Amino acid sequence: MLDSNLTTQLRTYLAHLRHPIELIASLDDGEKSRELRELLHEIAALSSLIRVREDGADARKPSFAIARAGEQSGVRFAGIPLGHEFTSLVLALLHVGGHPPKADAELIKQIRAIDAAQPLRFETYISLSCHNCPDVVQALNLMAALNPSIEHVMIDGALFQSEVDERKIMAVPAVFLNGQVFGHGRMTLEEIVAKVDVGASAREAEKLDARAPYDVLVVGGGPAGASAAIYAARKGIRTGIVAERFGGQVMDTMGIENLISVPHTEGPKLVAALEQHVKEYDVDIMNMQRAEALVAPGADGLAAVRLANGATLRARSIVLATGARWREMNVPGEKDYKAKGVCFCPHCDGPLFKGKRVAVIGGGNSGVEAAIDLAGIVSHVTLLEFDDKLRADAVLQAKLNSLANVTVITSAQTTEVTGNGEKLDGIVYQDRKSGQTHRIELEGVFVQIGLLPNTDWLKGTIALTPRGEIEIDARGQTSVPGIFAAGDATTVPYKQIVIAMGEGSKASLSAFDHLIRSSAPAAKPPAEVAIAA
């Protein structure tokens, strides 16, 4: 099943194994079990430290566990972890086999110290096309490899559709802990550990509150925030970056083809590169911290950012780069059926709607691209656009119009999402020309209507536009001296990654200029010259 390139790469990785491991398979007579058996034996042939057993007793078939020889396993895969999950498989082999993980040493220590009252049994439902799922799978696998009281199984929803239906899963990744919903969507290792280790937030708040003031504090970890932090650190000044999620909206972007000099990349790869670049400098990175309030500079010249955990960070200048989030329709039923049919990522959740009827809301590039992608998976796509014409690029519209299972409806105002209490079953829209109301029966709705700036926490502190964007001048200066802003949260036109990077560096340079000018000694009056009478 593995091509020559994957085989060569995997053999190189498996050379790092330190302990013998067993792949314990639970199989039946089905085709997928035969494929899994073939994959496991191909892997075992690449290392003398790997042995395959086919005496697994897991009720889910095909599945397999990864365990150290003679020990119980906490890491399992129900399905065949190829596609986006192949990396999850490789890392699980290495971590169970004793290869040290690259996670922060303090975080590893924290995971090992988790002492739960009962075993923590995690289940993660994924789709192999989901680019958000591997982060969650890899994080939970690592926790299971490090702590014997933690177990984790990755479950391919496409192979175990009955479980997906029974648990009413309509968005991935979907994580369950001891049978109860734990979370949906992308979660980092830090986020998961924080939810499990309930005392972690208070301990972290105490440490953050004791930090010395920064020369430049960047709020936000997307392209604008990373750029601002790098430019500040290169000036040799004390720099910090605080973010609710490093990478921000870019983490949810699949294909990126307009970052100049990089013909193609994916959001998670770009974020990893950004974070690595930031770490090459002396930058204090504070991830998983949500800002709640901005305090303007006081008499001591220090501004402050209050965090959700109660800590306060102080700085001589601040760069706000909080980015944006998916815009919601704000119609009845939307919130009720989130993750129950209302989705925002066609790449992640599209496979869950195979053979079903869905709608896409929005006729811009993202909406039309979503409709094109979904048309290859679902039975029918209805695209609804508020305007009287689509706004996507002509080449995308041409492709869309060539698809037989897509219906485009313009001048359509979505008014309601309907459902049976458990899952979505339709959408209601009004024809803006005739005023007539129509209902479409379907199983999924993908919302693709743009972004909203993450600036609610700044209201009343700095000037915002009616749309919530931070008002800035050509230098990135906000209405408050010493507070600068950059990226999608601001009034800068064209919300693009490459633009955000440039705006972040500009705002950081402006902050540095502010520091120089505000710390310069006051000009002395010219000395009086005595004039002889």
Side-chain angles (χ1 to χ4, degrees):
M1 294 184 67
L2 302 176
D3 61 30
S4 58
N5 288 334
L6 282 179
T7 299
T8 300
Q9 293 177 28
L10 188 54
R11 180 181 285 109
T12 301
Y13 291 135
L14 295 180
H16 296 287
L17 292 175
R18 297 183 177 183
H19 308 287
I21 60 176
E22 296 177 329
L23 307 181
I24 308 167
S26 299
L27 306 171
D28 55 21
D29 295 329
E31 178 184 351
K32 290 299 180 181
S33 286
R34 290 194 293 272
E35 290 180 13
L36 180 58
R37 177 185 289 111
E38 179 183 349
L39 174 64
L40 297 182
H41 282 282
E42 284 185 17
I43 292 172
L46 301 177
S47 172
S48 61
L49 294 178
I50 300 178
R51 181 170 76 100
V52 177
R53 289 169 40 194
E54 297 186 13
D55 57 350
D58 198 311
R60 293 188 181 99
K61 296 179 175 64
S63 66
F64 67 100
I66 304 176
R68 287 194 185 184
E71 297 183 7
Q72 291 290 331
S73 170
V75 179
R76 287 183 293 144
F77 292 88
I80 305 173
L82 296 176
H84 284 297
E85 292 298 345
F86 184 71
T87 301
S88 302
L89 168 60
V90 174
L91 289 174
L93 293 168
L94 292 176
H95 294 154
V96 174
H99 184 65
K102 293 183 178 180
D104 179 78
E106 284 298 315
L107 187 59
I108 292 175
K109 181 179 178 181
Q110 184 180 354
I111 294 169
R112 294 186 189 278
I114 292 175
D115 185 15
Q118 60 176 320
L120 302 178
R121 296 187 173 92
F122 287 96
E123 299 167 290
T124 303
Y125 290 85
I126 62 96
S127 67
L128 294 179
S129 63
C130 170
H131 61 280
N132 288 325
C133 296
D135 283 355
V136 177
V137 172
Q138 291 163 25
L140 288 167
N141 280 348
L142 177 58
M143 292 174 65
L146 293 174
N147 189 319
S149 68
I150 299 175
E151 300 175 7
H152 176 241
V153 55
M154 180 218 81
I155 305 165
D156 182 357
L159 285 185
F160 297 91
Q161 190 66 48
S162 60
E163 292 188 37
V164 170
D165 294 339
E166 181 181 351
R167 285 181 154 174
K168 301 177 177 61
I169 297 169
M170 304 192 76
V172 291
V175 182
F176 291 77
L177 172 58
N178 294 337
Q180 302 299 313
V181 175
F182 179 79
H184 287 92
R186 181 188 293 274
M187 290 181 283
T188 64
L189 177 62
E190 292 86 352
E191 289 172 325
I192 296 170
V193 172
K195 289 185 70 173
V196 173
D197 187 358
V198 293
S201 179
R203 295 194 302 269
E204 184 67 14
E206 185 177 353
K207 289 192 293 184
L208 293 177
D209 210 45
R211 300 280 171 93
Y214 297 94
D215 291 312
V216 174
L217 175 64
V218 180
V219 185
S227 177
I230 290 169
Y231 266 72
R234 285 175 61 86
K235 295 295 184 182
I237 57 180
R238 178 168 165 74
T239 304
I241 182 169
V242 58
E244 185 170 0
R245 180 179 69 154
F246 199 96
Q249 191 74 13
V250 177
M251 287 291 282
D252 302 323
T253 304
M254 186 60 178
I256 300 170
E257 298 178 342
N258 56 1
L259 184 59
I260 309 307
S261 84
V262 182
H264 177 82
T265 186
E266 296 177 354
K269 291 182 180 179
L270 177 58
V271 170
L274 288 174
E275 187 171 10
Q276 183 59 42
H277 197 174
V278 172
K279 287 180 177 179
E280 290 183 4
Y281 295 93
D282 188 14
V283 177
D284 193 358
I285 300 176
M286 296 159 281
N287 198 12
M288 276 185 48
Q289 301 297 333
R290 180 165 57 88
E292 278 200 337
L294 173 67
V295 181
D300 58 359
L302 295 177
V305 173
R306 287 203 297 267
L307 304 179
N309 65 7
T312 297
L313 301 172
R314 291 159 289 276
R316 295 171 61 202
S317 67
I318 292 176
V319 175
L320 303 171
T322 48
R325 63 189 183 278
W326 290 114
R327 183 187 296 274
E328 299 177 355
M329 296 182 292
N330 292 319
V331 299
E334 181 181 23
K335 292 187 183 299
D336 297 331
Y337 293 103
K338 272 188 179 178
K340 298 178 182 179
V342 174
C343 307
F344 295 87
C345 180
H347 301 291
C348 302
D349 302 328
L352 297 176
F353 295 86
K354 183 177 180 179
K356 299 180 180 180
R357 299 158 300 172
V358 303
V360 172
I361 311 300
N365 282 350
S366 60
V368 172
E369 287 174 347
I372 292 170
D373 289 344
L374 290 166
I377 302 172
V378 305
S379 64
H380 189 270
V381 180
T382 301
L383 187 147
L384 301 176
E385 165 56 34
F386 181 85
D387 204 349
D388 60 1
K389 61 181 181 301
L390 300 184
R391 294 168 285 108
D393 294 341
V395 65
L396 293 175
Q397 292 192 45
K399 174 64 176 177
L400 184 73
N401 293 332
S402 72
L403 302 174
N405 63 336
V406 176
T407 300
V408 176
I409 303 175
T410 56
S411 297
Q413 180 176 358
T414 305
T415 57
E416 185 182 1
V417 172
T418 64
N420 60 11
E422 294 183 346
K423 61 181 180 179
L424 177 151
D425 63 14
I427 193 167
V428 179
Y429 74 92
Q430 183 181 53
D431 187 317
R432 295 176 54 241
K433 293 180 178 178
S434 68
Q436 292 182 327
T437 297
H438 305 272
R439 181 177 182 274
I440 305 173
E441 292 186 358
L442 40 76
E443 288 78 30
V445 173
F446 290 81
V447 184
Q448 301 283 295
I449 55 175
L451 303 172
L452 279 176
N454 296 318
T455 57
D456 294 344
W457 64 288
L458 296 169
K459 291 178 179 178
T461 307
I462 60 175
L464 305 175
T465 68
R467 292 168 53 87
E469 296 173 328
I470 304 171
E471 294 184 353
I472 58 172
D473 64 14
R475 301 174 63 254
Q477 173 69 60
T478 70
S479 60
V480 177
I483 309 295
F484 301 85
D488 288 3
T490 73
T491 51
V492 65
Y494 312 119
K495 314 303 186 185
Q496 299 290 311
I497 293 172
V498 68
I499 292 175
M501 289 178 172
E503 290 291 309
S505 60
K506 181 171 67 177
S508 187
L509 291 172
S510 296
F512 181 68
D513 183 68
H514 166 78
L515 293 176
I516 293 175
R517 295 176 184 277
S518 61
S519 62
K524 297 180 179 178
E528 294 185 5
V529 178
I531 300 177

